[in-house]
Structures are given as C-alpha cells and as structure tokens.
Amino acid sequence: MQSTQDSRIARVNGIAISGADEDLPPDELRNRACTELLRQAAQKAGLLSADDTQSADGLISEEAAVAIDTLIGQAVQVPEPSEEACRRHHAAHIGRYTVGQRARMRHILFAVTQGVDVNALRSRAEAVLIEVRAHADGEDPFPEAARQCSNCPSSERGGDLGWLAPEEVVPEFARAIFGQPDIGVLPRLVHSRFGFHVIDVQEREAGTVQPFDEVRGTVAASLRQQSFATALRQYVALLAGQARLEGVDMDMADTPLVQ
C-alpha cells in the first residue's frame, strides 16, 4: 500500500513531478505536468531517448528541451492570419498601435502578499474606491487615502505616479489605462500582478495612431502568437486527456487538436 507521504507526490503516467516534502502551488504543479506530458510525447514520437528522465524538481535535460521544441513545431501548426482578420484586430486594439500616448495618474495599491486574505483585501479596496469617488466638489480625499492605505512608495506623494507611457507599466495596468478617453477615478478596481489598484487618471496625451499598412507585420505576428498559444494549450489538454494524472488538476480534452 502506498504510504501517506508517497500519496502527496504528483505524477504523470507514474513519473513523479514533485517530491514528497514539497508543497507546490497549483500553477507550479501544472507547469511541471505540462513539461512532463510534452517530454513523454517526445519520447513516444521517437524524438527523445527512452532513457531520458525528468527529475522530481521539474528540471529536464538539454536533449529533452530540444526534443520538446521539435515536437511542438511538428504538432502545433497555425494558419497565417487573413488580411481581414488583421484589419479587425488593428481596429479593435487601436491603443496597442498608438505611439506617444501618456497619462498623468495616481494610484492606491492594495498589495496581494503571501498569506493575505484576498477577498477581504478586495473588499477594503472597493470601500476606498467608493470613498474617493463619492467626495464632494472641491474635496480631494485621494492623497490622504493613498498615504493611509497604499502599499506603494508613491503613497508618500499622495499616490502620484507622474506621467507614464504604456511601455512603462505592466501590461494589465496598461490595458486598463490606455486607449480610452476616461479622466478621473476609474469606476472599477484594476487587478494587476501586484494587487488591486484604485486609479485616478488626471491628464492624457492621446498620441498618434499608426496606420494599418505601417504595422501590418506586427499585427500579423500578434495574431500568429495568439493562435499558437491557443493551439499549444489544446495540444497539452489532449495529452492530459490521454494520460494518467495523480495529484495535479489540468484541463483535458479527448478530441484531436483543432487547427
């Protein structure tokens, strides 16, 4: 009978991808499982020696990495995006193809740190958002709220971040701020890798939209990357659906890869 300690080990088709003494977050377990699924698929395809092994800490050999790249190149094929699809993408994401835009803003950051109660933190951030949006004319509670609540060094300046361009902030922050005309405190929290933000956009410089013909190659490359990422997820889900997984939850599929 398997020991209690052994039952904590995550496996893909009987191959351990974690140690008994590891307490890995779900995302890390899934990443290791994806790598092991691809490594085993490369062996099955004859691209990697059957003697190759993956260590329980998720590390793979250089030969395995090369074989996985080859496998993906063979198994994951995506079509070239059409002219119509490229034009639609350009029109729908005009902010990505605008140069010179900037915004002067300030924020209050509620940082998500290890062990924090995320739901309670979000509720606190929502309460502050309502407070700074509901002030009377002539009042500005934002600086004091930033000094009292923000986990960012900018709190000492009342949350002031100055003028920033899209490339100077993390993508999730940029998507919420740029490519739109809103001025003032945004009506919803912005969730980034750092936590929850209450954001006040004070001024904007609109920038210049790059015509489609000037960025056609960039647009096509972006669509190809999106299609590739989708197809790769489908391929890994198909492998997961055919595998015996223990101790790890993954999306699975039992139908062939959709091109």
Side-chain angles (χ1 to χ4, degrees):
M1 179 179 293
Q2 197 174 44
S3 69
T4 302
Q5 185 181 52
D6 287 344
S7 68
R8 296 176 56 195
I9 300 175
R11 293 179 173 85
V12 175
N13 292 323
I15 303 299
I17 59 171
S18 69
D21 59 347
E22 287 187 297
D23 184 16
L24 299 175
D27 284 349
E28 175 62 20
L29 272 178
R30 282 191 290 270
N31 287 339
R32 290 192 185 185
C34 286
T35 300
E36 180 58 19
L37 285 166
L38 291 167
R39 192 190 69 83
Q40 291 183 21
Q43 288 179 317
K44 186 175 180 179
L47 299 171
L48 181 64
S49 168
D51 295 332
D52 184 87
T53 59
Q54 172 174 299
S55 63
D57 60 4
L59 297 178
I60 61 173
S61 65
E62 183 176 347
E63 292 78 12
V66 172
I68 288 173
D69 283 344
T70 302
L71 173 73
I72 291 173
Q74 294 176 355
V76 181
Q77 301 293 325
V78 295
E80 281 295 309
S82 67
E83 176 86 359
E84 181 183 0
C86 288
R87 288 187 178 277
R88 285 200 307 268
H89 179 81
H90 179 263
H93 301 87
I94 206 70
R96 297 184 190 179
Y97 306 106
T98 300
V99 295
Q101 61 179 323
R102 299 193 305 162
R104 186 168 68 85
M105 66 189 89
R106 52 189 182 175
H107 82 148
I108 302 170
L109 170 64
F110 294 83
V112 174
T113 55
Q114 187 172 8
V116 72
D117 184 331
V118 175
N119 289 329
L121 186 70
R122 183 188 289 109
S123 295
R124 184 177 174 222
E126 291 281 5
V128 172
L129 172 63
I130 292 171
E131 176 187 340
V132 298
R133 293 193 73 214
H135 66 276
D137 289 344
E139 296 180 357
D140 184 9
F142 203 100
E144 183 59 26
R147 281 189 282 268
Q148 293 292 329
C149 304
S150 183
N151 301 123
C152 176
S154 66
S155 63
E156 298 179 0
R157 305 185 301 275
D160 184 32
L161 296 173
W163 285 95
L164 292 171
E167 62 272 14
E168 295 178 296
V169 297
V170 294
E172 56 268 32
F173 201 93
R175 284 192 295 270
I177 300 299
F178 298 100
Q180 52 189 317
D182 296 345
I183 293 290
V185 179
L186 300 188
R188 289 176 295 277
L189 296 174
V190 173
H191 188 190
S192 80
R193 67 195 67 180
F194 301 112
F196 301 101
H197 305 257
V198 176
I199 298 176
D200 177 26
V201 180
Q202 299 178 292
E203 292 183 75
R204 290 184 183 274
E205 291 181 356
T208 304
V209 176
Q210 297 172 289
F212 173 75
D213 288 340
E214 290 184 9
V215 294
R216 182 192 307 263
T218 301
V219 173
S222 178
L223 287 180
R224 280 195 298 270
Q225 178 57 37
Q226 288 180 22
S227 296
F228 173 81
T230 298
L232 180 57
R233 285 195 298 271
Q234 290 175 333
Y235 180 56
V236 172
L238 179 61
L239 294 177
Q242 299 168 343
R244 187 176 75 258
L245 303 178
E246 303 170 58
V248 58
D249 293 323
M250 297 185 67
D251 293 332
M252 300 182 186
D254 56 8
T255 56
L257 181 67
V258 177
Q259 298 292 343

